[in-house]
Amino acid sequence: IVRPFREIPGLWKNGVANLYNFWKQDGFKNLHRIMLQNFNTFGPIYREKVGYYESVNIINPEDAAILFKAEGHHPKRLKVEAWTSYRDYRNRKYGVLLKNGEDWRSNRVILNKEVISPKVLENFVPLLDEVGQDFVARVHKKIERTGQNKWTTDLSQELFKYALESVSSVLYGERLGLMLDYIDPEAQHFIDCITLMFKTTSPMLYIPPALLRRIGAKVWRDHVQAWDGIFNQADRCIHNIYRQLRKEDGISKKYPGVLASLLMLDKLSIEDIKASITELMAGGVDTTSITLLWTLYELARHPTLQEELRAEVAAARAESHGDMLEMLKRIPLVKGALKETLRLHPVAVSLQRYITQDIIIQNYHIPAGTLVQLGLYAMGRDPKVFFRPEQYQPSRWLRTESQYFKSLGFGFGPRQCLGRRIAEAEMQLFLIHMLENFRVEKQRHVEVQSTFELILLPEKPIMLTLKPL
Ligand code: HEM
Ligand code: 2DC
């Protein structure tokens, strides 16, 4: 009684017509809402074709479990052709983000040890803690300058700098100096290039970049410029460390950063290292900063919850006697808040895999090779999955209620987010320092929605007021 693939509901017969409708609904910016709507129309599974992009979409945690069991040993996500086309066009190597198969696995295994294994946390935390302290000092200064004992602002640019400073300090073992008054214009340019790179990627999910390139389309040209800016800045940082490493031969006891560790380990080619370090540097800016912005926004909307978190942080501080690694083990509610933020405001609208074996989901047969997408944004807001999904409730992650395949903001399995440990530590330390220093408030009655620019972003500036405690 298993039903065949062709009976899965949805619009998958005419990709061009669907692309036209998608475009009419301003789909390039509304992908998350369109997915939600499709689940409402078709139920928990639907098949779709927009432009040349074809997929089966699912929403339930139990179905996600089936999907990830069929991901194989070399899990493969949707190929973002804009990104691979740029690399091919400029003759640059793919890093771990874009590699596949055995090449991906062998690189990933080595990177895992230096970037995501639990033992590296003790190296990262002191570096990230220092950046967090500097951020707070910077905000205090800004508040003083207003002369009003508070600072009302759109924090996104400040958070981009915090995130870039954080990820760079871990990758290079060195500070860029972005928490200072005068910042390197090259670093600001790098930040702007990442935003432009994401923004220009989304239309190219549906229209082949090769075609856009042939007709000299502006999106393609902008995209190339954005990646050029990203690679130039990363190349500068990488060369800097490489030169230093060749000069000094005495091995110091200080942790030298991910890049120097990889170079000394000598297990990956320099070109492979450069490619993945560039991806880590570029992947480490908008993702954590926007998640922190959403978290501050939610804490501003929930003052009582904000006080609860502050109390948890104060108790953790007292119990850990200045040991930050210990402190990070004592803040379950802060961790719950970050999960809750990613539930309601995920960076990635969906997770995807090309399945390597036939599976059955919702009683439909899905053949091996199909691109299956889990609608992460839709799942986070589904009342069948989360009790009262509209409510921001970090404590739901502390209860015993089943969390089976529900906390998927960083993806799952061997292909999950490589920056996850960095991101988590960086965000937890940020919240610790902010809660210890400031009260966050916002104007009432201002609801902010998301817009899709490859990652989900706030659709308008989020204005927050910071007051010293
Ligand atoms: C992949 C989310 C921060 C680097 C991913 C994926 C997701 C994700 C959903 C795809 C995982 C999958 O397919 O299962 C996030 C979120 C972040 C974050 C929510 C912060 C809140 C970062 C940071 C870095 C980073 C800080 C770099 C330091 C990467 C890389 C991949 C990846 C390199 C590709 C890994 C691979 O293909 O093997 N991220 N990310 N991410 N992320 Fe992140
Ligand atoms: C976007 O339909 C929507 O972590 C598409 O740090 C499917 C899709 C494929 C890959 C996803 C992408 C979505 C969102 C952004 C992700 C990306 C994989 C990695 C990337 C989730 C869901 C991200 C932001 C990386 C980016 C690193 C890069 C800048 C070097």
Side-chain angles (χ1 to χ4, degrees):
I1 6 150
V2 173
R3 297 162 71 179
F5 190 50
R6 61 170 187 281
E7 285 182 16
I8 299 177
L11 295 167
W12 48 272
K13 290 199 172 130
N14 190 338
V16 176
N18 295 337
L19 179 61
Y20 175 71
N21 284 320
F22 188 74
W23 172 76
K24 270 205 314 201
Q25 294 174 72
D26 216 358
F28 293 148
K29 291 191 161 149
N30 285 319
L31 178 64
H32 52 306
R33 275 183 285 270
I34 291 177
M35 283 182 85
L36 203 79
Q37 208 180 302
N38 283 336
F39 284 116
N40 283 332
T41 311
F42 299 117
I45 184 167
Y46 69 89
R47 191 173 158 190
E48 155 183 85
K49 184 169 182 185
V50 180
Y52 74 112
Y53 184 170
E54 205 178 340
S55 65
V56 167
N57 292 264
I58 59 173
I59 188 171
N60 288 327
E62 299 76 26
D63 297 340
I66 301 173
L67 163 62
F68 287 114
K69 269 175 204 133
E71 69 174 4
H73 296 299
H74 303 104
K76 205 174 149 210
R77 278 193 289 275
L78 168 76
K79 177 173 167 191
V80 180
E81 280 209 27
W83 298 351
T84 54
S85 296
Y86 170 82
R87 306 289 193 288
D88 299 346
Y89 176 60
R90 287 286 195 233
N91 243 320
R92 292 188 186 273
K93 271 206 106 167
Y94 294 2
V96 75
L97 172 76
L98 300 177
K99 284 180 188 290
N100 278 313
E102 198 40 44
D103 188 24
W104 166 78
R105 205 199 59 88
S106 60
N107 275 252
R108 174 85 197 210
V109 166
I110 294 160
L111 290 165
N112 279 345
K113 283 205 209 79
E114 302 300 326
V115 186
I116 198 174
S117 85
K119 76 158 171 59
V120 291
L121 215 53
E122 61 188 273
N123 296 325
F124 294 170
V125 166
L127 294 167
L128 296 171
D129 188 41
E130 197 185 280
V131 183
Q133 289 177 22
D134 290 354
F135 185 85
V136 161
R138 182 173 167 83
V139 174
H140 276 302
K141 226 199 265 169
K142 294 273 189 188
I143 292 175
E144 261 166 48
R145 282 185 201 157
T146 67
Q148 294 178 313
N149 205 34
K150 64 177 182 189
W151 184 36
T152 300
T153 186
D154 168 13
L155 271 178
S156 50
Q157 280 301 320
E158 292 298 326
L159 290 169
F160 288 158
K161 287 189 270 180
Y162 169 76
L164 179 55
E165 184 78 20
S166 295
V167 75
S168 303
S169 78
V170 162
L171 294 178
Y172 306 120
E174 268 184 10
R175 295 291 298 267
L176 294 184
L178 302 179
M179 301 289 99
L180 303 173
D181 278 331
Y182 175 79
I183 73 153
D184 179 9
E186 310 274 7
Q188 185 59 56
H189 182 62
F190 180 77
I191 291 173
D192 298 339
C193 283
I194 296 174
T195 308
L196 181 65
M197 178 277 290
F198 280 129
K199 195 190 171 77
T200 51
T201 304
S202 60
M204 290 192 268
L205 288 174
Y206 309 97
I207 307 164
L211 174 76
L212 292 167
R213 184 180 142 192
R214 217 162 32 236
I215 62 171
K218 183 164 166 18
V219 261
W220 168 254
R221 284 183 283 128
D222 286 350
H223 194 68
V224 168
Q225 278 210 335
W227 275 121
D228 281 347
I230 292 168
F231 273 93
N232 287 339
Q233 178 67 3
D235 279 350
R236 269 195 293 275
C237 295
I238 294 167
H239 272 127
N240 206 11
I241 299 296
Y242 189 67
R243 233 179 305 123
Q244 282 178 33
L245 213 59
R246 292 185 56 173
K247 260 194 306 201
E248 57 186 68
D249 29 21
I251 299 156
S252 77
K253 267 180 252 141
K254 193 173 141 271
Y255 174 66
V258 173
L259 171 59
S261 303
L262 287 169
L263 289 169
M264 291 187 295
L265 197 63
D266 200 25
K267 283 193 182 158
L268 291 177
S269 74
I270 292 183
E271 290 309 308
D272 276 339
I273 295 178
K274 279 168 81 172
S276 283
I277 291 288
T278 304
E279 289 170 357
L280 285 166
M281 192 179 173
V285 179
D286 296 31
T287 47
T288 50
S289 51
I290 293 302
T291 306
L292 287 172
L293 185 60
W294 283 121
T295 307
L296 294 177
Y297 166 79
E298 293 292 355
L299 297 186
R301 297 210 296 173
H302 301 90
T304 320
L305 170 70
Q306 188 181 142
E307 292 311 319
E308 275 174 56
L309 288 166
R310 208 176 330 275
E312 181 187 76
V313 168
R317 176 72 76 184
E319 285 166 21
S320 51
H321 310 288
D323 180 342
M324 291 313 285
L325 272 167
E326 274 306 309
M327 196 169 173
L328 294 183
K329 292 178 193 153
R330 293 179 157 81
I331 49 165
L333 200 60
V334 170
K335 292 176 184 173
L338 287 166
K339 285 190 184 174
E340 196 63 346
T341 301
L342 288 175
R343 176 178 71 79
L344 285 168
H345 314 282
V347 170
V349 264
S350 73
L351 304 175
Q352 338 74 42
R353 293 292 184 266
Y354 293 93
I355 52 171
T356 57
Q357 61 197 69
D358 291 22
I359 54 176
I360 295 166
I361 289 186
Q362 298 289 331
N363 217 27
Y364 288 102
H365 173 245
I366 306 173
T370 306
L371 178 68
V372 180
Q373 295 206 90
L374 170 72
L376 207 56
Y377 176 89
M379 182 179 93
R381 287 163 188 260
D382 185 347
K384 292 191 272 329
V385 179
F386 293 99
F387 180 66
R388 296 204 178 135
E390 71 291 350
Q391 294 185 6
Y392 187 82
Q393 269 183 29
S395 63
R396 74 168 82 233
W397 298 100
L398 310 184
R399 290 192 215 111
T400 44
E401 98 185 58
S402 169
Q403 293 175 20
Y404 186 67
F405 282 92
K406 288 187 182 180
S407 172
L408 293 173
F410 290 98
F412 179 83
R415 189 112 215 196
Q416 70 177 279
C417 176
L418 178 60
R420 180 175 190 160
R421 291 283 170 262
I422 299 174
E424 286 173 341
E426 173 190 324
M427 296 194 295
Q428 291 160 12
L429 288 162
F430 176 92
L431 291 176
I432 287 176
H433 289 298
M434 289 301 279
L435 285 162
E436 287 180 323
N437 284 274
F438 310 105
R439 189 160 284 121
V440 191
E441 294 173 5
K442 68 180 268 293
Q443 281 154 333
R444 287 192 296 155
H445 311 307
V446 184
E447 280 263 351
V448 185
Q449 309 276 313
S450 297
T451 182
F452 174 76
E453 290 190 3
L454 199 79
I455 59 173
L456 289 175
L457 300 175
E459 118 244 64
K460 60 184 179 206
I462 295 180
M463 298 303 286
L464 296 171
T465 301
L466 300 174
K467 295 182 177 168
L469 289 170

